[in-house]
Amino acid sequence: MNGLLQSAQQKSTQQPPQAAPKQGEMDPRQVYEGLVSMMLDYLYSESGVQMVQQSMQIQGQPHENIGMLVARLIQRMFITAKTQKVQVQASILFSAGMELSQAVADMYLESGAIPKEQGPKIAEEAFYKSIVRLAQETSTEIFSQQERQDFQRLMQKLKQMKTSGQQPQQAPSNGGVM
């Protein structure tokens, strides 16, 4: 996962600057930073830590448990953003999911639930599981048809990148476009 984040940071500096957002729209970078901040604040809160501890006790593979937890947290934050009338692009959710997967995997590492040498691999696998789970389990009342199509398009691109050995980009400086 660290490779994903490093690759994303390198690629994001190579992209041309985006035009300023239209009046009344939030800058995608601000949306991304706000979403990640909300997710991490919750994750490190007492409730979030309890969720992580409970997920460690579920039988199964750590990447599946982390993926399930990350999908739930992304879904919660997306609903919160929607209720606040903030438009969150699918690619921003993807990038925020990368960071969240890494943070949860780090919590697993610190607790000894996964071996240190497997941390990056588990974080990456958890990210993929979370996105698949998010797309499959999120109702149409939460994600519109267009948002579902955006997720499907990004999933296809992600699969292509994974099979070709490329690293996905982390969003923000380019407005979350992968």
Side-chain angles (χ1 to χ4, degrees):
M1 190 60 122
N2 286 333
L4 294 176
L5 296 175
Q6 289 172 349
S7 174
Q9 290 168 346
Q10 290 170 353
K11 289 181 181 180
S12 69
T13 61
Q14 299 169 359
Q15 304 207 355
Q18 296 288 312
K22 297 175 186 171
Q23 190 169 1
E25 290 182 13
M26 288 187 69
D27 175 34
R29 178 80 182 174
Q30 290 175 319
V31 172
Y32 171 79
E33 289 173 357
L35 187 64
V36 169
S37 179
M38 273 193 327
M39 287 179 176
L40 293 178
D41 285 349
Y42 180 78
L43 181 64
Y44 297 125
S45 72
E46 187 176 329
S47 298
V49 170
Q50 286 177 354
M51 279 182 78
V52 173
Q53 289 171 340
Q54 289 171 352
S55 76
M56 287 181 203
Q57 296 172 0
I58 298 171
Q59 286 192 332
Q61 298 295 320
H63 69 277
E64 291 174 358
N65 296 344
I66 295 170
M68 179 178 63
L69 176 64
V70 169
R72 285 183 188 159
L73 291 173
I74 290 172
Q75 188 179 52
R76 281 184 184 183
M77 295 307 136
F78 185 76
I79 292 168
T80 300
K82 270 195 161 184
T83 61
Q84 295 175 357
K85 307 276 190 247
V86 175
Q87 179 66 32
V88 180
Q89 298 169 354
S91 56
I92 290 175
L93 282 179
F94 263 55
S95 296
M98 277 189 222
E99 286 205 39
L100 190 58
S101 294
Q102 183 63 55
V104 175
D106 287 346
M107 292 172 83
Y108 268 62
L109 280 169
E110 288 176 22
S111 73
I114 57 175
K116 186 173 184 159
E117 63 276 356
Q118 292 182 358
K121 182 181 180 202
I122 288 174
E124 185 173 345
E125 289 174 358
F127 166 69
Y128 293 118
K129 290 284 185 184
S130 71
I131 296 301
V132 168
R133 188 174 201 110
L134 187 68
Q136 290 173 343
E137 294 182 1
T138 304
S139 73
T140 54
E141 293 147 7
I142 296 171
F143 287 141
S144 69
Q145 186 61 33
Q146 180 62 47
E147 289 163 335
R148 287 183 177 285
Q149 289 172 353
D150 290 346
F151 266 103
Q152 289 173 351
R153 181 180 45 78
L154 287 170
M155 284 299 295
Q156 289 300 320
K157 187 171 185 177
L158 198 57
K159 286 177 186 176
Q160 290 171 351
M161 292 173 82
K162 189 174 182 183
T163 58
S164 69
Q166 294 178 343
Q167 298 294 319
Q169 292 183 9
Q170 188 178 356
S173 68
N174 64 351
V177 179
M178 288 180 74

